[in-house]
Amino acid sequence: MRTIWVQNYHRAVTEAGAEVKRQESKNLPPGRLRLASPYDTDTRYGLKQSSWWTGYKIHISESCDETDDQDAPTGQATIPGADGPPPRLISSIATIDATVTDAEMTEPVHHMLAGRGLLPAEHFLDSGYVSAELIVGMKKNFGVTLVTPVLLNSSPQARAGAGFDRTAFTIDWEKRQATCPRGDTSTWWSPATQRGTKAIVIKFDKETCRPCPVRDQCTRSKTGGRTLSLQPRELQEVLDHASLQQSDEQWRAKYGTRAGVGGTIHQAVAVTGMRRARYLGLQKTHLEHVLSAVALNLIRLDAWWNGHPLDRTRVSHLARLDLSLAA
């Protein structure tokens, strides 16, 4: 309780005498150090998009194999009553305080999976869990390919969908040079640090860009030449490859596999009430989450063993109306 008071209030002496005032937001401790409740000192304030809460975050991993028993090796016993492909089972549960970002949990989750021999060859993730460094690192350290959308080019040209964005330029890493769509080459290539990360800044000479007939489609600068910012070669090539892949319809259909985890989250909330902790403390809350995951796995296994698939094909009211009209 004393820590809560010290973090949120201070004693001020004015002409009217001593009084207690609430700390201004700039004087509050960082979120990971600031206690949210005197009753549970592990909880923290969480924010995601427009949602605020006090407590924890949970990260769920589940299997997504589509192989059924017919593909089982010869001689392997089949399960009586099992119907269709194996159910998706929760393979990992991670509970952390609400201030930890998704990207910070990517490597710990892979360590958890590796410790139990459950690492997948491909891991389907939300874009919030990845960066170029993580895509490269998970492949090197765990042999896992991260399948995820990456943030596309955020240049003004890319956002507008017009003009020459970074992908319109040819990068020669060996010569440390870039070539624009009209064939002109850059004159400046320099390593830099942008917002705490390594980058490469490429510039074109202003005398080259100034008379260019398509200048308006290339740069908004009134006097200078075009500037490009790249990540180091290995990371930039990974991002370029991922961006090219995710524009393919086959890749999008493949990534649709991840949509199943949305149903898992809904089931966890609706069946086990996972969104509201029953106990105090991180360890007890994590145990609750593990038991909830076990319960969901048993429900899914029971349905599979008895030939009752959990997924039901839903037909919208509009689709049903269309079918009735067609009849």
Side-chain angles (χ1 to χ4, degrees):
M1 182 65 79
R2 181 180 184 279
T3 303
I4 293 284
W5 277 98
V6 170
Q7 289 183 348
N8 290 277
Y9 301 93
H10 69 100
R11 183 172 178 270
V13 179
T14 64
E15 294 180 355
E19 59 180 327
V20 176
K21 292 185 176 181
R22 180 180 287 274
Q23 295 278 15
E24 296 183 13
S25 57
K26 64 180 180 181
N27 295 326
L28 291 172
R32 291 194 182 179
L33 301 179
R34 190 178 356 145
L35 300 186
S37 168
Y39 306 103
D40 186 349
T41 56
D42 291 333
T43 60
R44 295 293 184 270
Y45 294 106
L47 171 63
K48 191 166 187 178
Q49 296 176 350
S50 59
S51 299
W52 284 86
W53 74 96
T54 301
Y56 305 95
K57 277 185 182 179
I58 180 172
H59 300 268
I60 302 175
S61 302
E62 72 174 6
S63 62
C64 57
D65 299 318
E66 298 296 339
T67 305
D68 58 25
D69 289 331
Q70 296 176 353
D71 299 323
T74 304
Q76 180 174 322
T78 58
I79 300 174
D83 183 29
R88 296 188 175 187
L89 301 179
I90 297 175
S91 56
S92 173
I93 288 285
T95 308
I96 39 86
D97 78 65
T99 62
V100 179
T101 64
D102 293 345
E104 291 177 273
M105 288 303 299
T106 303
E107 186 169 352
V109 166
H110 282 83
H111 278 294
M112 293 171 62
L113 293 171
R116 286 178 286 153
L118 295 175
L119 275 176
E122 294 181 322
H123 199 165
F124 295 82
L125 296 167
D126 181 82
S127 59
Y129 285 89
V130 297
S131 64
E133 293 87 347
L134 286 170
I135 294 175
V136 173
M138 295 305 101
K139 188 66 175 179
K140 284 183 177 179
N141 300 330
F142 299 97
V144 176
T145 300
L146 301 187
V147 181
T148 176
V150 297
L151 296 178
L152 299 176
N153 194 341
S154 59
S155 67
Q157 295 83 4
R159 292 196 301 269
F164 303 118
D165 63 12
R166 193 201 57 72
T167 59
F169 292 76
T170 302
I171 308 299
D172 190 328
W173 295 95
E174 303 300 333
K175 293 183 179 180
R176 296 163 61 92
Q177 200 171 59
T179 304
C180 78
R182 290 183 55 82
D184 294 313
T185 56
S186 60
T187 56
W188 201 70
W189 176 296
S190 177
T193 301
Q194 296 180 336
R195 296 182 291 276
T197 60
K198 293 182 179 181
I200 297 171
V201 177
I202 302 171
K203 294 182 180 180
F204 287 79
D205 189 84
K206 62 182 180 180
E207 299 301 331
T208 301
C209 294
R210 189 174 295 162
C212 180
V214 293
R215 174 185 176 87
D216 292 342
Q217 301 178 49
C218 191
T219 178
R220 296 185 299 178
S221 173
K222 300 299 182 183
T223 57
R226 176 64 186 265
T227 300
L228 301 175
S229 293
L230 306 177
Q231 295 202 38
R233 181 174 183 173
E234 184 179 27
L235 304 182
Q236 189 62 55
E237 289 179 342
V238 165
L239 289 177
D240 290 343
H241 178 68
S243 298
L244 182 63
Q245 276 191 319
Q246 70 189 55
S247 62
D248 181 67
E249 288 297 330
Q250 186 176 359
W251 183 93
R252 294 179 184 176
K254 178 181 178 180
Y255 183 70
T257 301
R258 187 194 167 273
V261 80
T264 297
I265 294 172
H266 173 75
Q267 188 184 24
V269 173
V271 176
T272 71
M274 190 178 282
R275 190 160 283 166
R276 194 169 289 276
R278 299 174 176 84
Y279 306 101
L280 300 178
L282 179 60
Q283 292 184 345
K284 290 183 179 179
T285 301
H286 175 62
L287 178 59
E288 176 193 340
H289 291 160
V290 170
L291 294 176
S292 297
V294 171
L296 295 179
N297 284 345
L298 290 175
I299 290 172
R300 294 178 177 193
L301 286 170
D302 177 71
W304 183 54
W305 287 332
N306 290 284
H308 301 302
L310 293 174
D311 295 329
R312 298 178 181 176
T313 302
R314 294 175 175 83
V315 181
S316 69
H317 295 297
L318 181 60
R320 287 200 297 269
L321 178 63
D322 181 65
L323 290 172
S324 64
L325 291 175

